[in-house]
Amino acid sequence: MAITATETDTPSARAFGPAAALSCRECGERYDLAPRFACEFCFGPLEVAYEFGEVTREAIARGPNNVWRYAGLLPVPGNVAELPNMNPGLTPLVRADRLAAELGMRSLHVKDDSANPTHSFKDRVVAMAVEAARTFGFRTLSCSSTGNLAGAVGAASARAGFRSCVFIPAGLEEGKVVMAAVYGGKVVAIDGTYDDVNRFCSELIGDPAGEDWGFVNVNLRPYYAEGSKTLAYEIAEQLGWRLPEQIIIPIASGSQLTKIDKGFRELIELGLVEDRPYKVFGAQATGCSPVAAAYEQGHDVIQPVKPDTIAKSLAIGNPADGPYVLDVCRRTGGAVARVDDAAVVDSISLLARTEGVFAETAGGVTTGVLRKLLDEGTLDPQAETVVLNTGDGLKTLNAVEAGVTATIKPSLDVFKEAGLL
């Protein structure tokens, strides 16, 4: 139901803290806070609109060491830290001096989200969806997933007492399948791509069989997506309450990139950081790079593709937020670039060797794009730069070749003779 701003003072609305309504990103029509994701007038995507109270750096610093320190900026109740949740966030911002030196950069940081509870940034977005699901009375949590989200939903459901049933494309990395299944929920593989899985989930939402199901990235998507803003908040706080001059973000659906930009803009509007320019760069693997292709060709429309890349966590051939990614990157003076699988693998090794961060393939994509943009002169090597690693390399072991250097007898002489010193 479309509403005016004054119609949101309900118990349901208060459960979402500073959130005031859902707003269409295309036409601006506003709706009550409900499990909906598309505008009934123009079919544009909905996102959360806020009426923020006073938020200070000091109040944030007094909060818990997780995403709930930013509860005053999120669609969650004031007592959210007391509820059973995975409590993700406040992951390391690694000062990457050795990688910076190798690449000829002045200042580089790696935001390492592999430190989250299920070892990917998806714990952030699922944490928001869980709180929305509680309010709406859903009993089963579900999702369409390229792997990491399935694991995050499974774990969060177990912690919060929901049933779970997640859907993945057949053929995902074994580590991601195990992580999704170990929590006791159902894991269903669909014979097809992620886009086929997503279409199936949309059909299930409209069927009575899915009546009490909360699909975190479909009918709960407006709330879920806000979790990515916490990356922006943390990066700014960890840099001493300033924005980086450049940031490289992987693109799957594109939502993470657009919400990080939204988070930066909110910090500026609230006076928590200085209003200064920042550039946003999007990163894709060549085998699934519809947004990069549109950027290179100067197009505003994303042409869907069939994914063919080792970076399966980014393998979304028809990214919902693709056009908005283009808007953000162009508006901030950034770009969208792509690298092939060989560069992804090489960049995983580079990041591990220089900084001790073992990234999954998405982290290889962002590091690879960082290197490419530097080589092209598109990225300023003197500017303070942040690159995102969104998952743990242990989930994508098939992407790298590494192992025992040598097998020897337990003898010092043999060790020396093997030339291992």
Side-chain angles (χ1 to χ4, degrees):
M1 178 179 72
I3 60 167
T4 63
T6 59
E7 293 175 303
T8 61
D9 189 20
T10 67
S12 176
R14 289 194 296 273
F16 292 102
L22 297 180
S23 177
C24 177
R25 292 165 76 176
E26 290 295 325
C27 71
E29 187 68 42
R30 287 165 72 93
Y31 298 85
D32 59 0
L33 294 163
R36 62 165 70 229
F37 59 97
C39 177
E40 64 187 44
F41 295 101
C42 73
F43 305 106
L46 301 181
E47 69 175 353
V48 178
Y50 296 90
E51 293 176 0
F52 292 123
E54 183 182 10
V55 181
T56 66
R57 296 179 183 178
E58 293 74 20
I60 289 171
R62 290 194 297 269
N65 292 327
N66 54 53
V67 293
W68 306 133
R69 68 199 284 113
Y70 310 109
L73 299 168
L74 299 168
V76 295
N79 68 336
V80 63
E82 303 168 14
L83 302 173
N85 201 299
M86 297 298 290
N87 300 328
L90 221 61
T91 55
L93 184 68
V94 179
R95 182 171 166 174
D97 290 343
R98 294 189 68 238
L99 178 57
E102 185 148 334
L103 298 179
M105 301 183 72
R106 181 184 64 83
S107 177
L108 177 64
H109 291 82
V110 177
K111 181 59 171 171
D112 185 13
D113 244 25
S114 67
N116 275 312
T118 68
H119 309 291
S120 90
F121 95 94
K122 291 297 187 180
D123 289 316
R124 297 176 181 272
V125 288
V126 171
M128 308 301 145
V130 164
E131 300 312 320
R134 284 192 223 274
T135 298
F136 296 136
F138 291 124
R139 291 177 294 193
T140 298
L141 288 184
S142 186
C143 68
S144 51
S145 173
T146 56
N148 284 325
L149 180 57
V153 168
S157 298
R159 176 72 58 84
F162 290 90
R163 297 190 302 261
S164 69
C165 181
V166 300
F167 300 91
I168 59 174
L172 283 187
E173 301 96 336
E174 184 179 359
K176 291 180 179 176
V177 175
V178 171
M179 174 158 274
V182 72
Y183 304 107
K186 293 184 175 68
V187 178
V188 181
I190 302 291
D191 186 10
T193 67
Y194 170 82
D195 299 289
D196 296 319
V197 177
N198 204 34
R199 281 191 292 271
F200 168 81
C201 289
S202 297
E203 292 178 16
L204 183 53
I205 288 175
D207 190 271
E211 185 176 350
D212 71 341
W213 289 37
F215 286 80
V216 301
N217 55 344
V218 188
N219 58 352
L220 295 176
R221 187 176 184 82
Y223 313 94
Y224 156 95
E226 294 296 287
S228 288
K229 295 193 310 179
T230 61
L231 278 161
Y233 303 152
E234 287 179 23
I235 289 168
E237 184 178 4
Q238 290 169 323
L239 286 175
W241 289 109
R242 68 175 183 272
L243 303 184
E245 295 172 274
Q246 302 174 144
I247 185 167
I248 299 95
I249 305 169
I251 300 169
S253 72
S255 177
Q256 183 187 67
L257 185 149
T258 62
K259 295 307 180 187
I260 288 176
D261 173 66
K262 183 181 181 183
F264 284 163
R265 288 185 286 115
E266 287 174 350
L267 293 176
I268 292 170
E269 291 164 7
L270 290 165
L272 293 170
V273 298
E274 178 186 352
D275 184 0
R276 70 174 191 178
Y278 60 89
K279 294 182 179 181
V280 178
F281 296 86
Q284 292 196 295
T286 302
C288 186
S289 53
V291 186
Y295 177 84
E296 292 167 4
Q297 296 161 10
H299 294 167
D300 297 323
V301 177
I302 308 298
Q303 183 67 41
V305 301
K306 185 174 181 179
D308 182 17
T309 173
I310 61 170
K312 294 185 179 181
S313 62
L314 304 183
I316 298 179
N318 189 17
D321 276 44
Y324 302 106
V325 168
L326 294 173
D327 291 344
V328 169
C329 293
R330 289 167 176 163
R331 171 173 53 79
T332 63
V336 185
R338 50 185 167 178
V339 288
D340 62 25
D341 284 357
V344 172
V345 172
D346 187 56
S347 297
I348 291 172
S349 298
L350 173 65
L351 184 57
R353 173 172 56 80
T354 57
E355 299 299 340
V357 175
F358 184 18
E360 71 161 28
T361 48
V365 170
T366 51
T367 305
V369 164
L370 168 69
R371 299 166 73 184
K372 178 179 181 178
L373 293 174
L374 285 168
D375 290 344
E376 293 176 348
T378 305
L379 209 68
D380 182 359
Q382 297 303 309
E384 186 171 57
T385 305
V386 172
V387 61
L388 265 62
N389 172 45
T390 52
D392 195 321
L394 290 174
K395 295 185 177 186
T396 56
L397 290 173
N398 61 310
V400 295
E401 292 185 8
V404 174
T405 303
T407 300
I408 65 171
K409 299 291 185 181
S411 161
L412 183 58
D413 289 339
V414 173
F415 175 69
K416 291 177 179 179
E417 291 170 3
L420 297 171
L421 291 175

